[in-house]
């Protein structure tokens, strides 16, 4: 029997664009719901009129991750009337590198044989044995792709190089499980930036908060609203007018971060934030430190804050903190405010 990580894949699907410029969902195995299929078609670059070809995109909808690889068909090939195709893999886990590598092998199989049967065989081989081997199309081994590598593939150092001390706003928003919306017109830049943000709260190792590629459609926004806090990426600039969707808005092309009016009280900054901000910036600006080491430095500071919070909770009834407990400690107002909202986010607050 294959290891549990092979059981994370849910389906594969195929979208084709033919010589008449018609784009259709042509095949899937074992099945994809009509609602998810509509979302996947909207994410596929072949269904849009734009000139650009996005070779690989990924995202999340209703707790299902999707990975879309798009290929331009070069003559001669077994695919006679197809100009481009997109392979869609859906799965329960976040691991872009794993599914990009697997998709490359499957795409080569499809170009060579012109039939989805070989792809289905490759998919079943990975599902049952964790390996898909072929001499001419390359091989794929699932155990080469550890989830921690996927978590560390985004660059926190790049985030800090763009936003400097303002990174503390993103850190605070993530710690308090707030709603962060990021805009960039280029999908590649959006994916690269948003995937790095959950690493700022490494103690949670929670990439389920990431929705890196969202359209302003009813079904997708409805799905987003079911989440407590999130990091959501949009290519559509109209999202800046949708203050109902965010507590923090990041305009990536202009390197600007805006805190919404409703979140200003919870996000008020003080000396504690400045101290954390300095730790983040000094670590990230050290050329000798890797992204992994920067994440560790931030994590140590986070654990320090959480340990203080836990020790306060220990002295309280049912190990739950009250505002009164915090007031007795005579913290500076911004620190008290942050710890109060953090206790709520960490479920240490007495309601």
């Amino acid at each position: 029997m294959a290891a549990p990580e092979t059981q994370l894949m849910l389906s594969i699907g195929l979208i084709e664009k033919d010589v008449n410029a018609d784009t259709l969902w042509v095949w899937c195995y074992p099945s994809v719901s009509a609602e998810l299929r509509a979302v996947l078609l909207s994410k596929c670059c072949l269904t849009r009129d734009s000139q650009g070809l996005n070779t690989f995109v990924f995202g999340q909808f209703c707790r299902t991750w999707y990975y879309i690889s798009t290929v331009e068909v070069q003559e001669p090939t077994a695919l006679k009337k197809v100009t481009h195709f997109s392979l869609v893999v859906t799965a329960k886990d976040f691991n872009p590198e794993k599914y990009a590598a697997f998709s490359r092998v499957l795409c080569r199989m499809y170009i060579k044989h012109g039939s989805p049967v070989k792809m289905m065989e490759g998919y079943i081989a990975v599902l049952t044995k964790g390996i898909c081997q072929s001499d001419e199309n390359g091989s794929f081994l699932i155990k080469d792709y550890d989830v921690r590598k996927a978590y560390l593939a985004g660059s926190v150092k790049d985030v800090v190089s763009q936003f400097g001390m303002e990174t503390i706003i993103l850190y605070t928003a993530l710690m308090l499980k707030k709603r962060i919306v990021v805009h960039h017109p280029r999908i590649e830049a959006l994916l690269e930036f948003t995937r790095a943000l959950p690493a700022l709260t490494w103690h949670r190792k929670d990439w389920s908060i990431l929705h890196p590629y969202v359209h302003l459609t009813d079904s997708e926004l409805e799905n987003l609203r079911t989440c407590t806090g999130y990091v959501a990426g949009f290519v559509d600039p109209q999202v800046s007018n949708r203050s109902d969707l965010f507590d923090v808005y990041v305009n990536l092309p202009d390197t600007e971060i805006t805190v919404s009016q409703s979140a200003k009280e919870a996000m008020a900054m003080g000396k504690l934030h400045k101290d954390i901000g300095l730790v983040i910036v000094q670590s990230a600006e050290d050329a000798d430190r890797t992204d992994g080491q920067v994440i560790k430095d931030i994590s140590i500071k986070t654990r320090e804050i959480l340990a203080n919070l836990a020790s306060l909770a220990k002295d309280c009834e049912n190990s739950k903190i009250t505002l009164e407990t915090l007031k007795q400690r005579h913290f500076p107002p911004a620190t008290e405010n942050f710890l109060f909202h953090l206790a709520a986010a960490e479920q240490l607050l007495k309601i």
Side-chain angles (χ1 to χ4, degrees):
M1 188 63 197
E5 69 260 27
T6 64
Q7 306 305 313
L8 296 169
M9 280 196 299
L10 296 169
S11 72
I12 49 170
L14 192 60
I15 299 165
E16 288 182 347
K17 188 172 195 171
D18 64 22
V19 287
N20 301 318
D22 293 325
T23 302
L24 293 168
W25 180 284
V26 293
W27 176 84
C28 67
Y29 177 83
S31 66
V32 174
S33 71
E35 185 185 27
L36 180 56
R37 190 181 295 194
V39 170
L40 296 172
L41 277 163
S42 75
K43 304 300 174 190
C44 173
C45 60
L46 302 182
T47 60
R48 297 193 304 275
D49 295 328
S50 64
Q51 300 301 304
L53 199 68
N54 306 126
T55 53
F56 183 70
V57 299
F58 58 86
Q60 185 189 185
F61 178 72
C62 290
R63 299 192 176 279
T64 295
W65 286 97
Y66 58 84
Y67 303 91
I68 305 175
S69 300
T70 302
V71 175
E72 185 174 0
V73 177
Q74 306 285 349
E75 297 288 347
T77 165
L79 299 165
K80 295 287 177 241
K81 294 184 177 176
V82 177
T83 60
H84 302 77
F85 68 87
S86 292
L87 179 77
V88 184
V89 180
T90 67
K92 295 176 195 170
D93 61 326
F94 170 78
N95 202 323
E97 286 69 31
K98 174 169 81 173
Y99 293 110
F102 182 43
S103 296
R104 280 194 296 274
V105 174
L106 294 184
C107 286
R108 285 197 287 269
M109 285 179 176
Y110 190 52
I111 288 168
K112 184 173 176 10
H113 299 283
S115 156
V117 174
K118 287 287 180 191
M119 290 199 297
M120 186 174 77
E121 287 170 1
Y123 175 81
I124 291 169
V126 169
L127 217 51
T128 53
K129 301 182 196 133
I131 186 164
C132 169
Q133 270 178 315
S134 82
D135 296 335
E136 71 276 25
N137 300 313
S139 58
F140 169 80
L141 192 59
I142 209 162
K143 67 178 176 58
D144 290 344
Y145 297 91
D146 177 55
V147 71
R148 282 173 66 94
K149 279 189 195 165
Y151 292 165
L152 290 165
S155 176
V156 168
K157 291 187 81 154
D158 284 354
V159 172
V160 181
S161 78
Q162 286 175 81
F163 288 98
M165 272 301 273
E166 283 204 311
T167 308
I168 189 59
I169 302 171
L170 300 172
Y171 171 87
T172 304
L174 287 157
M175 285 291 282
L176 301 184
K177 297 185 179 174
K178 296 294 181 190
R179 301 165 306 157
I180 301 173
V181 160
V182 183
H183 163 66
H184 197 290
R186 271 195 331 108
I187 180 62
E188 293 83 359
L190 202 54
L191 297 176
E192 197 180 320
F193 182 85
T194 54
R195 73 174 296 178
L197 295 186
L200 291 170
T201 48
W202 184 257
H203 68 290
R204 292 187 189 131
K205 293 185 188 62
D206 184 10
W207 264 254
S208 71
I209 65 169
L210 179 62
H211 301 260
Y213 187 20
V214 186
H215 284 102
L216 291 167
T217 61
D218 291 345
S219 64
E220 289 193 63
L221 297 185
E222 207 174 294
N223 170 51
L224 210 51
R225 286 192 191 98
T226 62
C227 311
T228 315
Y230 50 73
V231 175
F234 292 81
V235 289
D236 188 344
Q238 291 302 315
V239 72
S240 65
N241 304 321
R242 296 295 304 267
S243 55
D244 58 313
L245 296 176
F246 59 81
D247 301 305
V248 172
Y249 178 71
V250 182
N251 179 333
L252 212 45
D254 295 342
T255 324
E256 284 175 1
I257 300 179
T258 311
V259 178
S260 74
Q261 207 54 47
S262 60
K264 279 196 166 147
E265 184 256 337
M267 296 281 296
M269 300 284 157
K271 185 181 179 303
L272 177 63
H273 296 85
K274 190 181 175 185
D275 291 346
I276 302 163
L278 283 169
V279 167
I280 294 170
V281 170
Q282 283 166 3
S283 177
E285 285 180 350
D286 184 340
D288 295 330
R289 297 191 83 64
T290 64
D291 271 295
Q293 288 168 322
V294 174
I295 289 166
K296 192 173 181 183
D297 291 342
I298 299 167
S299 189
I300 289 167
K301 189 70 185 169
T302 301
R303 280 205 298 272
E304 200 181 287
I305 295 161
L306 292 173
N308 288 339
L309 209 54
S311 72
L312 286 174
K314 210 165 60 179
D315 300 337
C316 301
E317 185 190 343
N318 297 329
S319 295
K320 297 284 183 182
I321 291 168
T322 62
L323 184 56
E324 201 47 52
T325 317
L326 292 170
K327 287 198 176 299
Q328 286 166 6
R329 300 298 170 119
H330 303 294
F331 290 118
T335 301
E336 179 190 288
N337 181 53
F338 174 63
L339 292 175
F340 177 75
H341 286 98
L342 182 58
E346 294 289 329
Q347 297 176 324
L348 291 170
L349 191 67
K350 188 174 182 181
I351 307 297

